[in-house]
Amino acid sequence: MITGRPFRAKPEWYWQNIDGGLLTYSRPGLMEKPDGSTEPAVIIFRDKFVLSVLTIEDAIRLADQLIDSTESPATNG
């Protein structure tokens, strides 16, 4: 559930936000643990740069929040 006031992006960032969205994507990956083992992960990229490495649980949580945000009154008028 989304609560509180929505974040308002400044108009001077509009085109950078649009371009950035077009360059943002995810791919499956592996996260190395301190003991040398690995676990599945989701990697979030902007162009060729890594923005975040997420555990599967955090990727699912973020995906749910993205869906909730698209269904929010703030995004649907």
Side-chain angles (χ1 to χ4, degrees):
M1 171 180 277
I2 303 297
T3 60
R5 292 180 11 190
F7 179 85
R8 183 178 292 263
K10 301 284 185 190
E12 59 267 22
W13 290 90
Y14 181 81
W15 291 110
Q16 184 170 346
N17 290 331
I18 294 296
D19 292 343
L22 292 171
L23 296 172
T24 303
Y25 60 97
S26 65
R27 294 265 166 84
L30 295 172
M31 184 184 305
E32 291 189 23
K33 296 181 182 181
D35 67 4
S37 64
T38 60
E39 66 177 287
V42 173
I43 317 303
I44 309 294
F45 291 91
R46 164 92 30 104
D47 197 14
K48 60 183 177 182
F49 302 101
V50 174
L51 292 182
S52 189
V53 178
L54 304 173
T55 63
I56 298 302
E57 293 80 13
D58 283 335
I60 292 168
R61 177 187 52 77
L62 179 59
D64 287 340
Q65 290 174 349
L66 288 167
I67 291 166
D68 288 348
S69 294
T70 66
E71 296 171 347
S72 164
T75 53
N76 288 311

